[in-house]
Structures are given as C-alpha cells and as structure tokens.
Amino acid sequence: MAQPKYLTGDSAAINEFIDRFDVFLLDCDGVLWSGDHLFEGIVETLELLRSRGKRVVFVTNNSTKSRQDYQKKLTALGIPSDIEEIFASAYSSAVYISRILKLPEGKNKVFVIGESGIETELRTENIPFVGGTDPALRRDITPEDYGKIADGSMLDPEVGVVLAGLDFHINYLKLSLGFQYLQRGAKFLATNLDSTLPNSHSFFPGAGSISIPLVYMSGQQPLSLGKPSQAMMDAIEGKFQLDRARTCMVGDRLNTDIQFGVEGGLGGTLAVLTGVSKKEHWEAKDAPAVPAYYVDKLSDLRGARL
Ligand code: PLP
Ligand code: CA
C-alpha cells in the first residue's frame, strides 16, 4: 500500500496540498486540542486556511455535546466559528432521525442512552424522546421493574428508535429497557462506535463500548451516525454540497477519521500525530486505513510558501 506523504517542513508540498482542496473536514479532539488544552498555532492555522478561501467543517464523534456546546468551546479557545460549520455525532443522529428515518406518528419517540448533547439536538429537530439524563433511570433495577419491563407497563409504546451514545450513567436498568425496545422492533442507532475515549490520563470506554452490550443481547448491529460511518458522510455531503474530490479529512485516528475519508472517496486524508494513532499504526499489516498525507501537528501547515 502507498505510504503517506510527510508534509512537515516541506513548504512546497504543503502549498500544493492546500491548493488541492476546497473543504477541510477537521476532527477536533486530538487535532485542534486535547481535552481542554488547545494545541499551539491552531488559531493561526485555521486563519491561514480561511484566508486561502477554504471552508472548514468541525466533524467530531463526541456525542455528549450539542453544536451549541461545541461553539461555546471553540469560542472559549479563541477559534471563531459559525454554528453551521459544526457537525457533531449527536447532531448527525438527530438530523438522520428527522430527515431520513421520518418515523410514523405514534412510533416517533427515541429511547436515548446518552448525555444532554443528544437531548438538545433531538429537541432542536422536534423529536420526542425518553431516557437520556432522566434521573428516574439513574438507579438500580428493582424486582418490580422486571415484571413492568416484561409486560410493557414501564415502556413507552411510542418508542420507535433506540439511540445509544456515550452515557456516563449507563446501568442495568437502561440496558434492560433498551434491549426490550429493540426486541419490540425499535430501530437501533448509535451516535458513534468509538471503542475507547482518550483523555490526558489514559483510555476510557467510548460510546461504542456502551452500545456493544445491546449488540450482544439483541444480535443486531446499530447504524452509526459518527465517523467512519458513511451515513455521516452522506449527511455532510448533503448539507455542504461538497465536491468529495476537493475535500480532505483531517484526523488523528485511523479507524474513525482516516477510514471515514478513505471509504468516502475523498480527494485526500491528512493524519496528525497529536492524538491516538501513530506512524507504526498505518505501517502495520492490519491498518484499518492509511492516510494520503501526514504532519507532526496541524500547525505545521503554517509552513506553506505564500
Ligand atoms: N466521544 C466523546 C465522548 C469524546 O469526549 C470525544 C473527545 O473529546 C470523542 C468521542 C472523540 O471526538 P473527536 O471525534 O473530536 O476526536
Ligand atoms: Ca480525534
């Protein structure tokens, strides 16, 4: 397989790279920042891309935040943005449910396993939901619950979708309800399927590890609305009318970001080494995807020859 082109320090190659694209899809965590720490030179790098007429879209798998939450974060870190430039997996899921699934009246509620970012996006799309951050579900299952779940009296008959994202309060009760809805024919969606979630300490369970118990129980696979799912790419393409050949996906993770760009047939993919994946990961035989380009860090693009 062709090895990626290393751009750091090669101003002519950086220049040529930037010229090849009109749109840059930017993964956030691991590319722009790590947690709450903005990487050096990111504001200037985004300014450089914008000053050269490029469109940027912030594409993140983090389902715990709404687009408004993300815009607040970008603003707090000094990155100017338009809310329409933000494409997060909670938003992607809500848009998919309202514009593509088009659930029938009477079966149009979503059972949410996840945090408030998902709830905000569902509300914005006028999608009714149950579960989510409801404090009534943040408890142990009781002997009475088993009967009420089985006879349906604890279930909302209007639920037509189970949507699973990262839920910091996942428990046996929520999994039992989710499983029951799936058995009764609800569609199974996931905001994203990241196995793990890196932070400054270590790796922790990601959203995919929350939905996997439901996969195991039900034998069904969810449709993911996050990277690398092409359902998310189709939604981005529809919204931004982008020319895939002139679009580049930038990311730090091979099995989400780079795979997303490669499978989406984008004109290019750029890996940065400030996050999860390292050079040896794409040099490995079983690499999920190989980027077309790589830099040590995104701000190396400032080395473009003007
Ligand atoms: N999911 C959660 C809950 C997160 O907090 C993060 C990163 O902050 C991610 C996924 C990965 O986000 P990204 O796609 O921006 O790397
Ligand atoms: Ca990332």
XYZ file of all heavy atoms in Angstrom, residues 54-149:
754
model
N -10.577 28.543 1.973
C -11.013 27.169 2.269
C -12.177 27.186 3.242
O -12.239 28.032 4.144
C -9.862 26.346 2.878
C -8.564 26.434 2.109
C -8.702 25.912 0.698
C -7.428 26.168 -0.098
N -7.552 25.750 -1.508
N -13.036 26.198 3.067
C -14.134 26.030 4.000
C -13.699 24.988 5.027
O -13.093 23.974 4.664
C -15.320 25.517 3.194
C -16.540 25.318 3.993
C -17.753 25.470 3.099
N -18.845 25.856 3.952
C -20.109 25.745 3.603
N -20.426 25.332 2.405
N -21.057 26.091 4.443
N -13.977 25.251 6.302
C -13.668 24.232 7.304
C -14.972 23.767 7.959
O -15.896 24.547 8.152
C -12.674 24.730 8.393
C -11.342 25.114 7.785
C -13.239 25.878 9.205
N -15.014 22.483 8.251
C -16.161 21.908 8.973
C -15.578 21.109 10.139
O -14.656 20.305 9.948
C -16.995 20.976 8.061
C -18.200 20.433 8.821
C -17.442 21.691 6.790
N -16.088 21.367 11.330
C -15.607 20.663 12.523
C -16.440 19.391 12.671
O -17.648 19.465 12.926
C -15.742 21.556 13.761
C -14.984 22.853 13.615
C -15.625 24.030 13.212
C -13.610 22.902 13.844
C -14.924 25.221 13.050
C -12.901 24.089 13.692
C -13.561 25.260 13.292
N -15.799 18.237 12.491
C -16.524 16.956 12.472
C -16.044 16.112 13.653
O -14.923 15.614 13.651
C -16.268 16.204 11.151
C -17.083 14.912 11.115
C -16.617 17.076 9.954
N -16.895 15.973 14.658
C -16.473 15.261 15.862
C -17.414 14.122 16.214
O -18.628 14.224 15.998
C -16.360 16.236 17.056
O -16.037 15.487 18.234
C -17.644 17.000 17.304
N -16.859 13.070 16.766
C -17.674 11.936 17.229
C -18.182 12.138 18.647
O -18.911 11.295 19.158
C -16.840 10.639 17.183
C -16.987 9.946 15.846
O -17.644 10.448 14.940
N -16.365 8.785 15.717
N -17.792 13.209 19.281
C -18.204 13.412 20.676
C -19.707 13.687 20.750
O -20.165 14.768 20.390
C -17.408 14.584 21.264
C -17.707 14.789 22.733
O -18.633 14.186 23.277
N -16.934 15.625 23.371
N -20.456 12.702 21.238
C -21.924 12.832 21.262
C -22.427 13.487 22.537
O -23.620 13.730 22.676
C -22.570 11.450 21.143
O -22.314 10.699 22.319
N -21.537 13.756 23.482
C -22.016 14.320 24.753
C -22.331 15.804 24.606
O -22.967 16.396 25.467
C -20.975 14.131 25.886
O -19.795 14.861 25.558
C -20.638 12.670 26.091
N -21.881 16.393 23.501
C -22.080 17.836 23.317
C -22.965 18.139 22.108
O -22.882 17.467 21.077
C -20.713 18.514 23.100
C -19.868 18.634 24.367
C -18.575 19.372 24.030
C -17.845 19.945 25.216
N -17.635 19.075 26.334
N -23.758 19.209 22.259
C -24.548 19.700 21.129
C -23.679 20.640 20.298
O -22.568 20.997 20.707
C -25.766 20.471 21.654
O -25.310 21.636 22.330
N -24.231 21.084 19.176
C -23.463 22.054 18.357
C -23.236 23.357 19.132
O -22.173 23.964 19.035
C -24.202 22.342 17.048
C -24.215 21.142 16.120
C -24.637 21.536 14.736
N -25.962 22.142 14.718
C -26.439 22.842 13.704
N -25.712 23.061 12.631
N -27.653 23.331 13.760
N -24.244 23.764 19.917
C -24.079 24.997 20.727
C -22.941 24.824 21.733
O -22.136 25.723 21.930
C -25.368 25.338 21.491
C -26.473 25.882 20.626
C -27.364 24.751 20.087
O -26.943 23.603 19.968
N -28.586 25.098 19.726
N -22.909 23.639 22.371
C -21.822 23.367 23.326
C -20.466 23.473 22.619
O -19.505 24.020 23.145
C -21.924 21.936 23.889
C -23.156 21.703 24.732
O -23.645 22.661 25.344
O -23.638 20.546 24.774
N -20.436 22.914 21.408
C -19.161 22.950 20.675
C -18.771 24.367 20.305
O -17.599 24.743 20.383
C -19.217 22.055 19.420
C -18.388 20.842 19.658
C -18.933 19.700 20.216
C -17.009 20.867 19.431
C -18.151 18.612 20.533
C -16.225 19.784 19.744
C -16.795 18.665 20.290
O -16.005 17.595 20.609
N -19.783 25.150 19.907
C -19.452 26.524 19.528
C -18.913 27.285 20.740
O -17.963 28.058 20.618
C -20.655 27.237 18.930
C -20.195 28.492 18.192
C -21.314 29.221 17.520
O -22.462 29.139 17.960
N -20.990 29.941 16.463
N -19.512 27.023 21.915
C -19.014 27.671 23.136
C -17.565 27.273 23.382
O -16.729 28.085 23.749
C -19.865 27.239 24.340
C -21.030 28.154 24.593
C -21.728 27.792 25.909
C -23.221 27.998 25.745
N -24.056 27.044 26.422
N -17.283 26.000 23.176
C -15.914 25.525 23.405
C -14.949 26.178 22.414
O -13.876 26.651 22.801
C -15.862 23.999 23.275
C -14.449 23.442 23.409
C -14.398 21.988 23.745
C -12.936 21.603 23.990
N -12.752 20.327 24.625
N -15.344 26.219 21.148
C -14.472 26.843 20.135
C -14.226 28.308 20.485
O -13.089 28.794 20.426
C -15.121 26.723 18.752
C -15.106 25.318 18.129
C -16.156 25.187 17.032
C -13.728 24.992 17.566
N -15.293 29.013 20.880
C -15.160 30.436 21.230
C -14.228 30.594 22.432
O -13.342 31.456 22.426
C -16.549 31.037 21.550
O -17.397 30.767 20.446
C -16.484 32.535 21.783
N -14.449 29.754 23.443
C -13.620 29.861 24.658
C -12.144 29.630 24.338
O -11.259 30.193 24.991
C -14.102 28.849 25.692
N -11.890 28.811 23.322
C -10.492 28.530 22.961
C -9.948 29.540 21.949
O -8.827 29.409 21.480
C -10.370 27.108 22.407
C -10.635 25.982 23.414
C -10.661 24.621 22.713
C -9.589 25.974 24.526
N -10.804 30.529 21.578
C -10.331 31.591 20.663
C -10.478 31.233 19.198
O -9.870 31.868 18.337
N -11.289 30.204 18.889
C -11.480 29.806 17.482
C -12.835 30.334 17.006
O -13.883 29.873 17.476
C -11.453 28.268 17.320
C -10.137 27.696 17.836
C -11.699 27.869 15.876
C -10.075 26.165 17.842
N -12.847 31.302 16.079
C -14.133 31.795 15.577
C -14.819 30.699 14.763
O -14.146 29.944 14.053
C -13.746 32.972 14.675
C -12.265 33.083 14.709
C -11.701 31.902 15.411
N -16.147 30.589 14.891
C -16.851 29.562 14.122
C -18.291 29.994 13.903
O -18.826 30.811 14.640
C -16.843 28.228 14.876
O -17.595 28.354 16.077
N -18.878 29.407 12.879
C -20.309 29.559 12.648
C -20.920 28.234 13.092
O -20.324 27.178 12.844
C -20.512 29.765 11.136
C -21.956 30.057 10.788
O -22.845 29.255 11.160
O -22.180 31.069 10.135
N -22.085 28.293 13.725
C -22.675 27.039 14.216
C -22.902 26.042 13.074
O -22.814 24.837 13.249
C -23.972 27.304 15.015
C -24.337 26.048 15.811
C -25.117 27.756 14.154
C -24.932 26.304 17.136
N -23.145 26.568 11.893
C -23.384 25.687 10.739
C -22.122 24.962 10.284
O -22.183 24.081 9.435
C -24.010 26.474 9.575
C -25.377 27.066 9.890
C -26.420 26.019 10.334
O -26.287 24.843 9.972
O -27.357 26.402 11.079
N -20.970 25.369 10.808
C -19.728 24.660 10.452
C -19.467 23.471 11.373
O -18.457 22.794 11.235
C -18.514 25.593 10.597
C -18.462 26.733 9.622
C -17.321 27.688 9.952
O -16.924 27.801 11.128
O -16.820 28.329 9.019
N -20.362 23.272 12.336
C -20.106 22.227 13.338
C -20.967 20.998 13.047
O -22.188 21.115 12.905
C -20.380 22.777 14.760
C -19.451 23.967 15.013
C -20.200 21.684 15.812
C -19.813 24.783 16.238
N -20.335 19.861 12.925
C -21.052 18.623 12.625
C -20.629 17.577 13.647
O -19.612 16.906 13.504
C -20.733 18.153 11.199
C -21.898 17.498 10.543
C -22.737 18.209 9.709
C -22.171 16.165 10.801
C -23.845 17.604 9.113
C -23.276 15.554 10.213
C -24.110 16.268 9.366
N -21.406 17.484 14.726
C -21.071 16.540 15.795
C -22.033 15.353 15.722
O -23.121 15.462 15.148
C -21.192 17.250 17.141
N -21.644 14.227 16.319
C -22.420 12.993 16.103
C -23.824 13.055 16.704
O -24.731 12.373 16.213
C -21.648 11.775 16.618
O -21.417 11.880 18.001
N -24.047 13.863 17.748
C -25.406 13.994 18.294
C -26.293 14.714 17.271
O -27.440 14.327 17.023
C -25.380 14.768 19.613
N -25.747 15.754 16.655
C -26.470 16.498 15.614
C -26.731 15.584 14.412
O -27.846 15.526 13.878
C -25.641 17.720 15.204
C -26.166 18.451 14.005
C -27.353 19.176 14.074
C -25.479 18.428 12.794
C -27.846 19.845 12.964
C -25.955 19.097 11.680
C -27.140 19.805 11.766
O -27.620 20.468 10.671
N -25.695 14.877 14.007
C -25.803 13.966 12.867
C -26.933 12.949 13.103
O -27.741 12.661 12.210
C -24.438 13.281 12.740
O -24.398 12.268 11.844
N -27.027 12.443 14.335
C -28.061 11.450 14.666
C -29.455 12.071 14.606
O -30.393 11.471 14.050
C -27.828 10.898 16.084
O -26.532 10.361 16.186
N -29.588 13.271 15.165
C -30.905 13.929 15.175
C -31.364 14.243 13.757
O -32.535 14.039 13.397
C -30.836 15.203 16.022
N -30.444 14.718 12.945
C -30.787 15.056 11.563
C -31.184 13.789 10.802
O -32.144 13.779 10.028
C -29.590 15.778 10.890
C -29.762 15.862 9.390
C -29.432 17.169 11.481
N -30.462 12.709 11.052
C -30.791 11.445 10.374
C -32.209 10.998 10.754
O -33.002 10.602 9.899
C -29.772 10.363 10.750
C -30.058 9.034 10.091
C -29.620 8.784 8.794
C -30.799 8.054 10.740
C -29.908 7.576 8.166
C -31.103 6.848 10.121
C -30.647 6.613 8.839
O -30.944 5.419 8.220
N -32.513 11.081 12.047
C -33.834 10.617 12.503
C -34.943 11.481 11.899
O -35.936 10.977 11.387
C -33.913 10.626 14.049
C -32.955 9.567 14.620
C -35.343 10.374 14.531
C -32.728 9.660 16.118
N -34.742 12.802 11.907
C -35.841 13.655 11.435
C -35.948 13.705 9.916
O -37.052 13.746 9.384
C -35.708 15.070 11.998
O -34.600 15.702 11.447
N -34.821 13.687 9.212
C -34.910 13.898 7.753
C -34.873 12.606 6.960
O -35.325 12.561 5.836
C -33.782 14.808 7.277
C -33.592 15.975 8.225
C -33.502 17.323 7.599
N -33.346 18.271 8.695
C -32.391 19.165 8.771
N -31.507 19.273 7.794
N -32.319 19.978 9.812
N -34.290 11.549 7.517
C -34.172 10.320 6.712
C -35.122 9.242 7.239
O -35.880 8.662 6.481
C -32.712 9.823 6.685
C -31.841 10.992 6.249
C -32.566 8.552 5.818
C -30.692 10.785 5.373
N -35.095 9.009 8.557
C -35.958 7.937 9.086
C -37.439 8.283 8.968
O -38.253 7.433 8.667
C -35.635 7.670 10.557
C -34.551 6.655 10.872
C -34.581 6.340 12.363
C -34.702 5.376 10.076
N -37.752 9.545 9.249
C -39.150 10.008 9.164
C -40.097 8.994 9.818
O -40.886 8.326 9.143
C -39.545 10.251 7.709
C -38.752 11.367 7.045
C -39.410 11.754 5.721
C -38.638 12.835 5.027
N -37.937 12.429 3.826
N -40.022 8.889 11.145
C -40.796 7.889 11.872
C -42.286 8.216 11.830
O -42.670 9.385 11.867
C -40.328 7.848 13.327
C -38.885 7.395 13.497
C -38.387 7.752 14.890
C -38.746 5.908 13.246
N -43.136 7.181 11.764
C -44.582 7.448 11.714
C -45.104 7.966 13.049
O -44.543 7.641 14.099
C -45.172 6.063 11.407
C -44.128 5.085 11.851
C -42.802 5.768 11.715
N -46.159 8.764 13.004
C -46.854 9.210 14.233
C -47.145 7.993 15.094
O -47.493 6.931 14.566
C -48.208 9.812 13.857
C -48.274 11.324 13.648
C -47.754 12.155 14.787
O -48.297 12.049 15.897
O -46.792 12.928 14.553
N -46.982 8.143 16.399
C -47.282 7.017 17.282
C -46.118 6.085 17.499
O -46.140 5.224 18.372
N -45.060 6.235 16.653
C -43.855 5.399 16.835
C -42.627 6.285 16.626
O -41.621 5.864 16.078
C -43.842 4.289 15.773
C -44.033 2.829 16.188
C -43.775 2.463 17.583
C -43.978 1.031 17.976
N -44.063 0.817 19.408
N -42.775 7.543 17.035
C -41.732 8.510 16.673
C -40.881 8.969 17.852
O -40.183 9.970 17.755
C -42.359 9.724 15.970
C -43.334 10.440 16.882
O -43.658 9.930 17.954
N -43.788 11.597 16.466
N -40.921 8.218 18.958
C -40.078 8.620 20.092
C -38.767 7.861 20.080
O -38.691 6.725 19.589
C -40.796 8.328 21.413
C -41.801 9.391 21.783
C -42.222 9.248 23.225
C -43.438 10.117 23.496
N -44.078 9.793 24.753
N -37.764 8.502 20.665
C -36.433 7.905 20.730
C -36.131 7.555 22.180
O -36.332 8.396 23.069
C -35.381 8.902 20.197
C -33.969 8.325 20.301
C -35.696 9.290 18.755
N -35.668 6.336 22.405
C -35.141 5.993 23.729
C -33.650 6.288 23.683
O -32.908 5.695 22.896
C -35.392 4.521 24.075
C -34.784 4.132 25.402
C -35.277 4.671 26.589
C -33.719 3.247 25.467
C -34.700 4.334 27.823
C -33.141 2.905 26.697
C -33.638 3.454 27.870
N -33.243 7.260 24.513
C -31.856 7.737 24.468
C -31.030 7.080 25.568
O -31.412 7.074 26.738
C -31.808 9.277 24.674
C -30.361 9.764 24.718
C -32.582 9.997 23.578
N -29.890 6.539 25.157
C -28.858 6.176 26.123
C -27.753 7.182 25.841
O -27.128 7.130 24.774
C -28.386 4.722 25.926
C -29.550 3.775 26.240
C -27.170 4.423 26.803
C -29.222 2.297 26.140
N -27.569 8.143 26.732
C -26.578 9.168 26.426
C -26.755 10.405 27.278
O -27.583 10.431 28.198
N -26.022 11.422 26.919
C -25.956 12.651 27.715
C -26.774 13.776 27.075
O -27.409 13.598 26.047
C -24.479 13.048 27.905
C -23.653 12.005 28.659
C -24.070 11.852 30.123
O -24.542 12.838 30.726
O -23.937 10.746 30.657
N -26.671 14.967 27.672
C -27.565 16.060 27.285
C -27.337 16.594 25.871
O -28.246 17.174 25.279
C -27.432 17.213 28.281
O -26.136 17.753 28.182
N -26.140 16.384 25.315
C -25.892 16.866 23.949
C -26.876 16.239 22.975
O -27.382 16.890 22.055
N -27.171 14.974 23.190
C -28.119 14.273 22.307
C -29.521 14.857 22.509
O -30.245 15.126 21.548
C -28.133 12.757 22.629
C -26.753 12.147 22.377
C -29.207 12.045 21.821
C -26.642 10.681 22.772
N -29.879 15.084 23.767
C -31.222 15.616 24.054
C -31.413 16.986 23.398
O -32.466 17.270 22.824
C -31.413 15.716 25.568
C -31.386 14.350 26.249
C -31.484 14.435 27.773
O -30.931 15.394 28.358
O -32.101 13.569 28.363
N -30.414 17.835 23.498
C -30.519 19.182 22.902
C -30.752 19.086 21.398
O -31.615 19.776 20.840
C -29.220 19.988 23.160
O -28.968 19.981 24.542
C -29.317 21.406 22.641
N -29.993 18.209 20.745
C -30.136 18.104 19.280
C -31.489 17.498 18.892
O -32.086 17.916 17.901
C -28.989 17.280 18.683
C -27.614 17.892 18.867
C -27.417 19.239 18.167
O -28.377 19.783 17.579
O -26.286 19.749 18.230
N -31.981 16.534 19.689
C -33.303 15.961 19.378
C -34.377 17.029 19.543
O -35.269 17.169 18.698
C -33.593 14.754 20.281
C -32.725 13.505 20.047
C -33.063 12.418 21.072
C -32.918 12.938 18.631
N -34.267 17.830 20.621
C -35.254 18.906 20.840
C -35.251 19.876 19.666
O -36.298 20.300 19.191
C -34.909 19.677 22.116
C -35.648 19.157 23.310
C -35.436 20.050 24.542
N -35.293 19.186 25.682
C -34.169 18.946 26.338
N -33.049 19.565 25.997
N -34.145 18.118 27.345
N -34.050 20.245 19.210
C -33.941 21.205 18.100
C -34.655 20.677 16.853
O -35.238 21.427 16.093
C -32.453 21.481 17.788
O -31.829 21.868 18.997
C -32.267 22.567 16.751
N -34.600 19.370 16.656
C -35.264 18.768 15.480
C -36.714 18.368 15.791
O -37.337 17.663 14.992
C -34.479 17.531 15.009
C -33.117 17.842 14.396
C -33.184 18.563 13.059
O -34.010 18.193 12.217
O -32.398 19.515 12.867
N -37.209 18.776 16.986
C -38.593 18.434 17.394
C -38.848 16.936 17.453
O -39.915 16.461 17.053
C -39.611 19.070 16.441
C -39.630 20.562 16.614
O -39.598 21.065 17.742
N -39.621 21.274 15.496
N -37.858 16.201 17.907
C -38.020 14.743 18.023
C -38.285 14.408 19.492
O -37.456 14.706 20.354
C -36.739 14.006 17.551
C -36.397 14.386 16.112
C -36.904 12.493 17.705
C -34.998 13.989 15.702
N -39.436 13.793 19.809
C -39.691 13.426 21.204
C -38.785 12.278 21.658
O -38.407 11.422 20.842
C -41.157 12.994 21.195
C -41.485 12.675 19.775
C -40.514 13.400 18.893
N -38.423 12.309 22.923
C -37.535 11.245 23.417
C -37.839 10.928 24.870
O -38.467 11.728 25.587
C -36.055 11.646 23.260
C -35.652 12.836 24.076
C -35.212 12.699 25.394
C -35.730 14.122 23.538
C -34.851 13.803 26.142
C -35.373 15.230 24.286
C -34.929 15.079 25.589
N -37.389 9.757 25.303
C -37.415 9.372 26.721
C -36.022 8.845 27.062
O -35.200 8.602 26.175
C -38.487 8.283 27.012
C -39.888 8.837 26.851
C -38.284 7.054 26.116
N -35.775 8.668 28.356
C -34.454 8.162 28.781
C -33.470 9.302 28.913
O -33.771 10.339 29.506
N -32.302 9.145 28.337
C -31.286 10.201 28.389
C -30.852 10.503 29.809
O -30.475 9.603 30.563
N -30.956 11.793 30.174
C -30.483 12.189 31.508
C -31.577 12.096 32.576
O -31.385 12.606 33.684
C -29.937 13.636 31.479
O -31.001 14.499 31.081
C -28.765 13.778 30.526
N -32.705 11.457 32.247
C -33.806 11.318 33.212
C -33.285 10.723 34.526
O -32.819 9.570 34.548
C -34.870 10.402 32.582
C -36.095 10.259 33.471
O -36.045 10.732 34.622
O -37.079 9.649 33.007
N -33.373 11.489 35.627
C -32.822 10.980 36.892
C -33.527 9.722 37.379
O -32.953 8.928 38.127
C -33.019 12.135 37.884
C -33.833 13.161 37.190
C -33.934 12.840 35.734
N -34.775 9.505 36.912
C -35.522 8.306 37.346
C -34.839 7.010 36.883
O -35.126 5.936 37.423
C -36.946 8.374 36.800
N -33.977 7.111 35.881
C -33.306 5.895 35.383
C -31.900 5.730 35.960
O -31.209 4.764 35.634
C -33.226 5.913 33.855
C -34.556 5.951 33.104
C -34.323 5.831 31.603
C -35.480 4.834 33.573
N -31.510 6.658 36.817
C -30.163 6.561 37.407
C -30.235 5.818 38.739
O -30.037 6.384 39.810
C -29.559 7.954 37.603
C -29.192 8.569 36.271
C -28.455 9.875 36.431
N -28.175 10.427 35.115
C -27.686 11.621 34.904
N -27.406 12.418 35.922
N -27.445 12.047 33.678
N -30.623 4.570 38.643
C -30.777 3.781 39.872
C -30.640 2.312 39.526
O -30.657 1.928 38.353
C -32.142 4.061 40.505
C -33.304 3.693 39.597
C -34.646 3.808 40.305
N -35.752 3.523 39.409
C -36.187 2.321 39.089
N -35.593 1.245 39.569
N -37.207 2.150 38.268
N -30.563 1.491 40.586
C -30.510 0.052 40.388
C -31.872 -0.457 39.916
O -32.910 0.134 40.234
C -30.165 -0.663 41.704
C -28.712 -0.414 42.103
O -27.928 0.068 41.248
O -28.376 -0.698 43.264
N -31.852 -1.563 39.199
C -33.105 -2.213 38.815
C -33.713 -2.861 40.075
O -32.959 -3.280 40.970
C -32.847 -3.249 37.685
C -34.118 -3.605 36.955
C -32.125 -4.477 38.226
C -33.876 -4.290 35.613
N -35.040 -2.870 40.153
C -35.689 -3.478 41.325
C -36.448 -4.741 40.882
O -36.745 -4.900 39.684
C -36.720 -2.516 41.955
O -37.760 -2.300 40.984
C -36.086 -1.195 42.350
N -36.834 -5.607 41.830
C -37.608 -6.808 41.456
C -38.901 -6.430 40.729
O -39.301 -7.109 39.774
C -37.902 -7.477 42.808
C -36.786 -7.010 43.705
C -36.447 -5.613 43.257
N -39.527 -5.315 41.091
C -40.780 -4.907 40.418
C -40.512 -4.503 38.966
O -41.349 -4.696 38.083
C -41.451 -3.710 41.120
C -41.911 -3.944 42.551
C -40.746 -3.924 43.528
O -40.015 -2.923 43.576
O -40.556 -4.938 44.237
N -39.353 -3.897 38.740
C -39.034 -3.439 37.381
C -39.080 -4.588 36.372
O -39.536 -4.410 35.239
C -37.623 -2.823 37.318
C -37.530 -1.490 38.041
O -38.558 -0.804 38.162
O -36.412 -1.140 38.485
N -38.589 -5.774 36.766
C -38.521 -6.883 35.798
C -39.899 -7.158 35.195
O -40.047 -7.261 33.980
C -37.994 -8.160 36.472
C -36.528 -8.062 36.858
C -36.141 -8.027 38.195
C -35.534 -8.004 35.876
C -34.795 -7.936 38.550
C -34.191 -7.917 36.229
C -33.828 -7.877 37.562
O -32.516 -7.780 37.897
N -40.910 -7.225 36.078
C -42.264 -7.514 35.601
C -42.794 -6.386 34.744
O -43.401 -6.616 33.680
N -42.524 -5.145 35.175
C -43.070 -3.994 34.436
C -42.387 -3.804 33.072
O -43.004 -3.277 32.143
C -42.893 -2.724 35.272
C -43.806 -2.649 36.483
C -43.629 -1.289 37.083
C -44.304 -1.130 38.411
N -43.839 0.078 39.084
N -41.138 -4.201 33.002
C -40.458 -4.121 31.695
C -41.021 -5.211 30.786
O -41.358 -4.975 29.625
C -38.922 -4.246 31.867
C -38.368 -3.002 32.566
C -38.238 -4.423 30.505
C -36.894 -3.080 32.947
